Coordinates of all heavy atoms in Angstrom, one line a residue:
Chain C
L1307 N -4.0 -6.2 -14.6 CA -2.7 -5.9 -14.2 C -2.8 -4.6 -13.4 O -2.1 -4.4 -12.3 CB -1.8 -5.8 -15.4 CG -0.3 -5.7 -15.0 CD1 0.2 -7.0 -14.3 CD2 0.5 -5.6 -16.4
R1308 N -3.5 -3.7 -13.9 CA -3.7 -2.3 -13.3 C -4.3 -2.5 -11.9 O -3.8 -1.9 -10.9 CB -4.6 -1.4 -14.1 CG -4.8 -0.1 -13.6 CD -5.9 0.7 -14.4 NE -7.2 0.2 -14.2 CZ -8.1 0.6 -13.3 NH1 -7.7 1.7 -12.5 NH2 -9.2 0.1 -13.1
R1309 N -5.3 -3.3 -11.8 CA -6.0 -3.5 -10.5 C -5.1 -4.2 -9.5 O -5.1 -4.0 -8.3 CB -7.3 -4.3 -10.7 CG -8.3 -3.4 -11.5 CD -9.6 -4.1 -11.5 NE -10.2 -4.2 -10.2 CZ -11.5 -4.0 -9.9 NH1 -12.3 -3.8 -10.9 NH2 -12.0 -4.0 -8.7
A1310 N -4.2 -5.2 -10.0 CA -3.3 -5.9 -9.2 C -2.3 -4.8 -8.6 O -1.9 -4.9 -7.4 CB -2.6 -6.9 -9.9
M1311 N -1.8 -3.9 -9.5 CA -0.9 -2.9 -9.0 C -1.5 -2.0 -8.0 O -0.8 -1.7 -7.0 CB -0.4 -2.0 -10.2 CG 0.7 -2.7 -11.1 SD 1.2 -1.5 -12.3 CE 0.5 -2.1 -13.8
M1312 N -2.7 -1.6 -8.1 CA -3.3 -0.7 -7.2 C -3.6 -1.3 -5.9 O -3.5 -0.7 -4.8 CB -4.6 -0.2 -7.8 CG -4.4 0.8 -9.0 SD -5.8 1.9 -9.2 CE -7.1 0.8 -9.5
A1313 N -4.1 -2.6 -5.9 CA -4.7 -3.1 -4.6 C -4.0 -4.3 -4.1 O -4.3 -4.7 -3.0 CB -6.2 -3.3 -4.9
D1314 N -3.2 -5.0 -4.9 CA -2.6 -6.3 -4.4 C -1.1 -6.2 -4.1 O -0.6 -7.1 -3.5 CB -2.8 -7.4 -5.5 CG -4.2 -7.9 -5.4 OD1 -4.8 -7.8 -4.4 OD2 -4.7 -8.4 -6.4
V1315 N -0.4 -5.1 -4.5 CA 1.0 -5.0 -4.2 C 1.1 -4.4 -2.8 O 0.7 -3.3 -2.6 CB 1.7 -4.2 -5.2 CG1 3.2 -4.0 -4.9 CG2 1.6 -4.8 -6.6
P1316 N 1.7 -5.1 -1.8 CA 1.8 -4.5 -0.5 C 2.9 -3.5 -0.4 O 3.9 -3.6 -1.0 CB 2.0 -5.8 0.4 CG 2.6 -6.8 -0.5 CD 2.3 -6.5 -1.9
V1317 N 2.7 -2.5 0.5 CA 3.7 -1.6 0.9 C 3.6 -1.3 2.4 O 2.7 -1.7 3.0 CB 3.7 -0.2 0.1 CG1 4.2 -0.3 -1.2 CG2 2.2 0.4 0.2
M1318 N 4.7 -0.7 2.9 CA 4.7 -0.4 4.4 C 3.9 0.9 4.6 O 4.0 1.9 3.9 CB 6.2 -0.1 4.8 CG 6.9 -1.3 5.1 SD 6.3 -2.1 6.6 CE 7.7 -3.0 7.1
A1319 N 3.2 0.9 5.7 CA 2.5 2.1 6.2 C 2.3 2.0 7.7 O 2.2 0.9 8.2 CB 1.2 2.3 5.5
V1320 N 2.3 3.2 8.4 CA 2.1 3.2 9.8 C 0.6 2.7 10.1 O -0.3 3.2 9.4 CB 2.3 4.6 10.4 CG1 1.8 4.6 11.8 CG2 3.7 4.9 10.3
D1321 N 0.5 1.7 10.9 CA -0.8 1.0 11.2 C -1.3 1.3 12.6 O -2.5 1.6 12.8 CB -0.7 -0.5 10.9 CG -1.9 -1.2 10.8 OD1 -3.0 -0.5 10.5 OD2 -2.0 -2.4 10.9

Side-chain angles (χ1 to χ4, degrees):
Chain C
L1307 194 60
R1308 181 186 72 92
R1309 295 187 65 143
M1311 279 189 252
M1312 290 204 301
D1314 281 333
V1315 177
V1317 281
M1318 278 293 203
V1320 170
D1321 193 20

